[in-house]
Structures are given as C-alpha cells and as structure tokens.
Amino acid sequence: MDKQARIFVAGHRGMVGSALVRRLSAAGYANVITRTRAELDLTDQAAVDRFFESEQIDVVLLAAARVGGIFANASRPGEFIYENLVIETNVIHAAYRAKVKRLVFFGSSCIYPKACPQPIREEYLLSSPLEPTNEAYAIAKIAGLKLCEAYNRQYSTQYVSLMPTNLYGPNDNYDLNSSHVLPALLRKAHEAKMKGEPTLAVWGSGTPRREFLHVDDLAAATLFVLEQNVTEGLFNVGVGQDLSIRELAECICKVVGFEGELVFDASKPDGTPRKLLDVSRLIAMGWHATIGLEEGIAATYRDFIATHAGSVPAAAMQA
Ligand code: GFB
C-alpha cells in the first residue's frame, strides 16, 4: 500500500482506532486522517457525505462504534443497534459515493451463533440464533459486514471485514458498568489490592470461556490485510486459544499482585458459554498474533496505572 495513501481512521480515540493510528504512524504512513466527534458526527449522513466529498480519502478503517461489555449490551440494546447501524451505513455509503476503493470494517466475534461449534469458522455466520445479551449489537455488526459484501458485489468496491475476538489494551474503558471483563477485573483487582480487601467480585459463574487479543495485534492484522492487498471477505482475528473467566481472573490477580479470594456473583449473567475463533484463514496467509496474554495484561496494567494515576492511590505507581 502506498505510504502516501490518505487513510481515514474513523473512531481514532477509541481503543481500536488509537491502536490503528499508532501502528500506521510507526509503519510510515504519512497521511492518517482523523476527526473528533465534535468535528464530524458520524451519525449525520449529510456531514459524513461532505467530509468524503472534500477529503479525497483512499482507504477507510471503520473502527467507530458503540461498544461495551455484557451489562451495557444487555441494558442498552436500542443504543447499540441504532448507533452502530447508522454509523456503518453513513460511512460505508459515503465512502462508496466518494469512490473510496478500500475499506476495513471491524465487527466482533459475537456475530456468530450462541451454540456454534468451536473453534468458530467464518462460515458459521447466520447458521443459528445469536446470544440474547448482545443480539442487538451483533445484528448491527452483521449488517455492516453484509453492507461490505453487497457493495463489493454491486459496485466492485474492495471492502473487507475483520472480526476480532474480545479485545484489550491501551485506551480501554474502565467504567465498571459498561466495560468488558478484562479491564473491569484489572481495575477491581487493583482497587482491592490498594484497599487491602480480602475478596474480589467476579460476575457470573466463572465458567464461560473467552479468547483475548491485544489491540496492537489487531492493528498489526489490519495492516497485514491492507498490505497483502486483500480485496474482500470476512476474517476472524484472534489468538487461537481461550481460557475460563476464573482463569482470567487468576491471571489478572497474579499480574496485579492481589492475593485475596475470588467471589463469584451468580446474579450477573454469564453470556455466551464459549467463543473461540478459528483463525486459520489469516494464519494460512501468514499472519499470527504475537502478544501473549500475561505479557499483554502486564503492559495494560502499566498503562492503566499511568493513565489513571490521578484516580488511584500513589502507592500503586510502584506496582
Ligand atoms: O467481557 P464481557 O462483558 O462480555 O463479559 P462478553 C465476559 C464474561 O466475563 C461474562 C464475566 O461471562 C461476564 O459475566 N465477568 C466477570 C465480567 N466479571 C466481570 C466484570 O466485572 N465485568 C464484566 N463486564 N464481565 C461482550 C458483548 O460479550 O463482548 C459484546 O456483549 C462484544 O457484544 C464483546 O462482542 C466483545 O464477552 O460476554
């Protein structure tokens, strides 16, 4: 891909978008275009059209989305379906109208059925019902990847969809009501350690299994797909290995240095029992994840301490 290409990263302040910007800059891409929400409201079709008409974009990385963990998804399905549908529709349609040839759309492994055979292959999409806690979000993401497929077929665009597994890393959301499990447990373990608490509350039974990918690995996979000139299709992005929520909590406690007991809160939902992605499609092309889970959690913990220093006791800085 031309290092002078004008690459629009939609959602550059989020965890995925900011990782993409870091990676593109490190790789020498000279024209990375970003807009804050105040500068460009992606839910406003006319504004999005004007942006594309004036900016001569060559490549779009569509990482702007309403995202959240199991509680946010289950309690605010209207926001999750509406905002994601409207952002995808606006950006993909405006990109096509402005003759943008290449676009990468980011979804999530929750697009696959609840009772999927494991590991989950791309072709299991739409083979049976979805997990109810995130059905609204999943439907919006399925619509996004189908938009890409339909536009490729009808208009000869080259729009590709990447489906990452559960992500973590810098710029994650640590708000306990809307975050995903990994940042939530990192924060809770840290605070429990600082306050000397004897226990750590973990939602659900601890038995669901999840796969975790560091967001820098997703950014690397995105550049790989662009630089390999992949022109269409759906690609799972993951590490190929999962663990139970209990095991994740134990790993986080080890990294943080919290030595208390885990207490499981059965009043909270488990969600889908397992979602391990089959990543053989990307592996066959030559890409694989490189950041191990414990190493990635340790780096994320350092980032958490650095970015949330004002809100945590000073002693934590030595952690
Ligand atoms: O990461 P998470 O919120 O979302 O939860 P999903 C994963 C598992 O961790 C669930 C458990 O079984 C939770 O009950 N868990 C344990 C916790 N302790 C906690 C905690 O303190 N906070 C949270 N949040 N969970 C989301 C979807 O599914 O993941 C989205 O709702 C999206 O659509 C995203 O696909 C990647 O993995 O269940």
Side-chain angles (χ1 to χ4, degrees), residues 124-140:
Y124 300 158
L125 182 68
L126 295 175
S127 56
S128 63
L130 296 162
E131 154 63 31
T133 54
N134 53 38
E135 188 188 54
Y137 176 75
I139 292 278

Side-chain angles (χ1 to χ4, degrees), residues 59-212:
V59 181
V60 176
L61 304 182
L62 181 38
R66 161 71 63 185
V67 299
I70 191 165
F71 181 71
N73 267 271
S75 53
R76 294 189 275 126
E79 284 168 49
F80 277 77
I81 194 164
Y82 171 75
E83 289 179 33
N84 286 303
L85 278 175
V86 81
I87 290 170
E88 291 155 20
T89 311
N90 287 349
V91 173
I92 293 171
H93 189 63
Y96 144 70
R97 280 171 32 127
K99 301 195 170 27
V100 176
K101 199 77 183 164
R102 307 191 69 189
L103 177 146
V104 178
F105 172 68
F106 296 91
S108 157
S109 56
C110 69
I111 60 160
Y112 294 110
K114 179 178 178 127
C116 238
Q118 309 280 323
I120 304 170
R121 300 178 66 87
E122 288 87 348
E123 48 273 31
Y124 300 158
L125 182 68
L126 295 175
S127 56
S128 63
L130 296 162
E131 154 63 31
T133 54
N134 53 38
E135 188 188 54
Y137 176 75
I139 292 278
K141 288 294 178 183
I142 293 169
L145 78 91
K146 289 293 172 190
L147 266 167
C148 293
E149 282 179 14
Y151 279 46
N152 288 350
R153 203 175 324 133
Q154 187 170 352
Y155 307 125
S156 301
T157 47
Q158 297 179 353
Y159 296 172
V160 174
S161 297
L162 297 185
M163 293 303 130
T165 189
N166 289 36
L167 296 167
Y168 70 99
N171 290 327
D172 208 341
N173 167 19
Y174 290 93
D175 176 280
L176 297 179
N177 284 322
S178 57
S179 63
H180 291 94
V181 60
L182 196 152
L185 292 182
L186 200 58
R187 174 177 173 176
K188 287 199 264 188
H190 174 75
E191 291 178 352
K193 180 179 100 169
M194 300 316 298
K195 291 180 193 153
E197 283 169 0
T199 58
L200 169 64
V202 180
W203 293 0
S205 64
T207 58
R209 299 183 70 82
R210 294 288 185 275
E211 177 186 9
F212 295 92

Side-chain angles (χ1 to χ4, degrees), residues 149-291:
E149 282 179 14
Y151 279 46
N152 288 350
R153 203 175 324 133
Q154 187 170 352
Y155 307 125
S156 301
T157 47
Q158 297 179 353
Y159 296 172
V160 174
S161 297
L162 297 185
M163 293 303 130
T165 189
N166 289 36
L167 296 167
Y168 70 99
N171 290 327
D172 208 341
N173 167 19
Y174 290 93
D175 176 280
L176 297 179
N177 284 322
S178 57
S179 63
H180 291 94
V181 60
L182 196 152
L185 292 182
L186 200 58
R187 174 177 173 176
K188 287 199 264 188
H190 174 75
E191 291 178 352
K193 180 179 100 169
M194 300 316 298
K195 291 180 193 153
E197 283 169 0
T199 58
L200 169 64
V202 180
W203 293 0
S205 64
T207 58
R209 299 183 70 82
R210 294 288 185 275
E211 177 186 9
F212 295 92
L213 178 75
H214 193 283
V215 72
D216 287 349
D217 270 332
L218 175 63
T222 308
L223 251 75
F224 176 83
V225 162
L226 288 171
E227 290 175 348
Q228 294 288 308
N229 290 319
V230 176
T231 57
E232 61 177 346
L234 167 61
F235 298 87
N236 288 342
V237 192
V239 296
Q241 244 183 317
D242 63 359
L243 77 175
S244 71
I245 296 300
R246 174 190 285 277
E247 289 165 334
L248 173 74
E250 288 167 352
C251 181
I252 288 174
C253 290
K254 184 176 158 206
V255 168
V256 170
F258 172 70
E259 289 172 352
E261 203 186 319
L262 302 178
V263 175
F264 293 89
D265 176 357
S267 71
K268 297 287 196 306
D270 271 344
T272 202
R274 193 177 185 199
K275 44 179 175 181
L276 173 65
L277 291 178
D278 183 316
V279 286
S280 47
R281 197 174 271 185
L282 268 189
I283 293 207
M285 292 165 59
W287 178 84
H288 62 90
T290 60
I291 304 171

